[in-house]
Amino acid sequence: MIRPGLCSVTYRQLTPEQLAPLAADAGLEVIEWGADVHVPSGDPERAAEVARVTSDAGLSVASYGSYFRAGADEALTPTLDSAEALGADRVRVWAGRDDSGDASPAQYAQIAARLQDAAAEASDRGITLALEYHRGTLADTPQATLRLLADVDSPALTTYWQPSVGAADAVALAEYEAVAAHTSAVHVFSWWPDAERLRLDERSGLWGSLFAAAAAQAQPPRDALLEFVPDDDPALLASEAAVLRRWLAEA
């Protein structure tokens, strides 16, 4: 079963103590805690506090949404320390700062090598890594993501997926299907036609079809995580979560 959950970055204005009960009341099961506000990297004491807040609300930690960027001169160890204290067995990471079409061969090789080292370090601690599928990284298209995963060649590295900005439903579905076998979580939001935030069910054609396809996989994504509701409005979470849970139940 795919677990319905929430990315904490959806509500950066709320504290974890406010956010966890809100997610639980909405019928969600898991939270991906972000490193930018709620669980800062390198602060395991705060991570442990948020872990308790999460469990007290009856939720589980889906993952740790880090901003570690492979290719930069950045240590992964503080991120893993926080993930471990949080109880997260998966950490989201970023493959550099350039689109795949703009990176030089040397930049690509550096990022791939850093991801290999990072995946090995994480694996030694019982943690996996997952690429943020996003423009401005080497994981910005299905082809680029598959190439990077193949070159890193580690069972400790998977990918997330989210619809590319501006992609029509059929295009987004084809992109998902290309990387589906390597996808451990999906970020769920409805933007159209560009970055305008819609209510979730305004792209029901996309998400209903995607979750039906995911449910038919031998190993579907573990988590479907809500992200970016209109106006960052906490009052919308219950209804948006209900739509997500309905889609997962129908699938």
Side-chain angles (χ1 to χ4, degrees):
M1 296 293 293
I2 301 173
R3 303 183 299 182
L6 176 70
C7 294
S8 77
V9 297
T10 305
Y11 296 118
R12 289 182 171 99
Q13 76 273 29
L14 301 181
T15 66
E17 290 78 7
Q18 295 169 317
L19 186 51
L22 185 71
D25 289 345
L28 299 174
E29 298 177 12
V30 298
I31 297 181
E32 174 180 280
W33 290 106
D36 56 344
V37 174
H38 294 123
V39 182
S41 177
D43 187 351
E45 291 79 12
R46 181 53 175 159
E49 292 172 358
V50 174
R52 287 191 292 271
V53 167
T54 307
S55 61
D56 287 349
L59 302 171
S60 298
V61 174
S63 44
Y64 184 39
S66 87
Y67 291 89
F68 170 84
R69 287 190 182 263
D73 184 16
E74 179 181 353
L76 181 64
T77 303
T79 293
L80 295 178
D81 290 343
S82 289
E84 196 168 65
L86 185 61
D89 64 356
R90 182 180 63 213
V91 175
R92 179 198 65 183
V93 297
W94 300 67
R97 297 182 179 276
D98 297 305
D99 289 342
S100 59
D102 295 334
S104 69
Q107 288 173 317
Y108 179 90
Q110 179 187 17
I111 291 167
R114 184 66 184 98
L115 284 170
Q116 283 181 325
D117 291 343
E121 182 182 356
S123 183
D124 286 344
R125 298 176 67 164
I127 295 172
T128 63
L129 305 180
L131 299 169
E132 174 79 355
Y133 182 84
H134 203 283
R135 58 189 175 182
T137 75
L138 297 187
D140 59 345
T141 70
Q143 296 78 14
T145 302
L146 291 171
R147 177 193 176 196
L148 186 58
L149 289 169
D151 287 345
V152 174
D153 191 24
S154 170
L157 182 66
T158 62
T159 188
Y160 282 16
W161 181 86
Q162 63 191 37
S164 298
V165 173
D169 291 0
V171 173
L173 285 168
E175 290 185 351
Y176 170 73
E177 289 170 0
V179 299
H182 305 277
T183 299
S184 57
V186 173
H187 282 165
V188 183
F189 54 85
S190 289
W191 288 6
W192 193 257
D194 190 47
E196 293 80 7
R197 299 184 185 186
L198 307 179
R199 297 296 297 272
L200 203 56
D201 60 5
E202 292 183 75
R203 293 200 74 182
S204 58
L206 166 62
W207 291 111
S209 298
L210 185 139
F211 288 126
Q217 293 173 221
Q219 187 171 344
R222 186 174 69 175
D223 302 305
L225 304 170
L226 287 168
E227 191 178 35
F228 301 131
V229 301
D231 301 319
D232 302 327
D233 187 356
L236 296 181
L237 183 59
S239 58
E240 297 291 86
V243 171
L244 174 60
R245 290 188 287 108
R246 185 185 78 237
W247 285 338
L248 293 176
E250 290 172 352

